[in-house]
Amino acid sequence: MAETMRQTIATILKSIERYNPANLQTLERYVEMQSRENTYDLEANLAVLKLYQFNPEKFNPDITCQILLKALTNFPHTDFTLCKCLLLESVVENETISQIKYLADILEQCDFAQFWNRVHQMPELCNRISSFHDSIRKFVCHVVGITFQTIDKNNLANLLGGIDDVTLKHWVKKYGWRDDGNLIFIANQDDNIKTKNITEKIEFDHLAPLMTIL
């Protein structure tokens, strides 16, 4: 059933039918399938938002929220910005959509403590997206991996949403980090921060034409 729907959607998106409002219900069901099954199709979701833009009377706030939350799960890619640009001004004023926009802002700022605090205040909304929390944790791990050489174990657990020791061990193992007691060794960041000397070799033959001009 899921594969049949994917093929149907792919056919719609390849033709002028992507702009046909009659296909909106099919596309909306596909969004709900993505939320349930932890799949993701940005192009299809953008097509839904574009149809809402062209047909504001058919706007569905619930589907829009699911699209925006799915876009959050694909950070650090710019999917959320692409989706946000297709929202009408009147839509942005929706309270739930405003809350999701705020989540995107603090996630982009890497304010993970505030992010998880807000997520825990809206469990019904975020829990509708399968593996939402783990998808965000992948982004957190990405940031930690390029930022830290070592990090306090409790600090890392809090950055990942206040997870327990068993779950923390899972993420440490997943990214090949090392547990050193109270610290987690992430990586040697020397190559990323130390100054590099760059030597340019310019042959005299290359300078000769310039010297003649001077």
Side-chain angles (χ1 to χ4, degrees):
M1 181 69 180
E3 186 56 36
T4 302
M5 176 169 277
R6 288 190 189 96
Q7 292 176 1
T8 301
I9 297 300
T11 302
I12 291 173
L13 295 177
K14 288 176 183 176
S15 68
I16 194 67
E17 283 299 305
R18 69 182 296 149
Y19 300 108
N20 185 350
N23 291 317
L24 192 51
Q25 287 188 343
T26 301
L27 289 164
E28 289 174 335
R29 286 198 300 272
Y30 187 51
V31 172
E32 292 176 328
M33 188 189 81
Q34 293 175 55
S35 298
R36 288 193 311 269
E37 301 185 6
N38 192 26
T39 58
Y40 186 53
D41 190 331
L42 175 62
E43 186 180 359
N45 295 347
L46 291 175
V48 173
L49 296 179
K50 178 60 73 174
L51 282 169
Y52 288 156
Q53 200 177 50
F54 289 155
N55 308 274
E57 74 282 358
K58 295 182 180 295
F59 170 69
N60 185 324
D62 180 58
I63 294 295
T64 302
C65 287
Q66 290 184 58
I67 289 174
L68 294 176
L69 288 170
K70 288 297 293 183
L72 281 185
T73 65
N74 207 34
F75 259 70
H77 299 287
T78 58
D79 299 18
F80 190 89
T81 301
L82 293 173
C83 293
K84 186 175 66 173
C85 289
L86 292 178
L87 299 179
L88 295 173
E89 187 175 346
S90 56
V91 168
V92 176
E93 296 172 358
N94 177 282
E95 182 180 353
T96 308
I97 290 176
S98 295
Q99 290 177 342
I100 298 174
K101 279 186 61 189
Y102 180 67
L103 284 181
D105 290 341
I106 55 180
L107 190 60
E108 188 173 15
Q109 296 164 15
C110 296
D111 187 351
F112 300 128
Q114 178 67 0
F115 176 84
W116 291 116
N117 181 50
R118 294 301 290 261
V119 165
H120 294 153
Q121 292 175 19
M122 49 178 77
E124 292 183 1
L125 181 65
C126 297
N127 289 342
R128 292 192 59 189
I129 309 300
S130 176
S131 298
F132 176 81
H133 297 75
D134 282 349
S135 297
I136 300 300
R137 288 180 183 123
K138 289 179 182 177
F139 173 59
V140 175
C141 288
H142 164 74
V143 173
V144 168
I146 62 176
T147 306
F148 292 92
Q149 181 159 298
T150 60
I151 184 171
D152 179 81
K153 185 182 290 186
N154 291 331
N155 188 16
L156 179 59
N158 289 330
L159 291 177
L160 292 171
I163 56 178
D164 57 35
D165 287 343
V166 174
T167 309
L168 180 62
K169 287 178 181 177
H170 161 76
W171 287 97
V172 168
K173 182 178 179 182
K174 180 180 177 68
Y175 283 86
W177 299 337
R178 189 176 72 237
D179 189 336
D180 287 342
N182 292 328
L183 292 177
I184 301 295
F185 177 78
I186 305 297
N188 188 332
Q189 302 289 0
D190 288 348
D191 289 339
N192 295 332
I193 60 175
K194 67 182 179 183
T195 305
K196 296 181 180 179
N197 293 322
I198 301 174
T199 304
E200 288 192 50
K201 185 179 179 182
I202 303 176
E203 299 291 342
F204 179 77
D205 291 344
H206 297 157
L207 292 176
L210 293 175
M211 294 175 69
T212 8
I213 295 174
L214 295 173

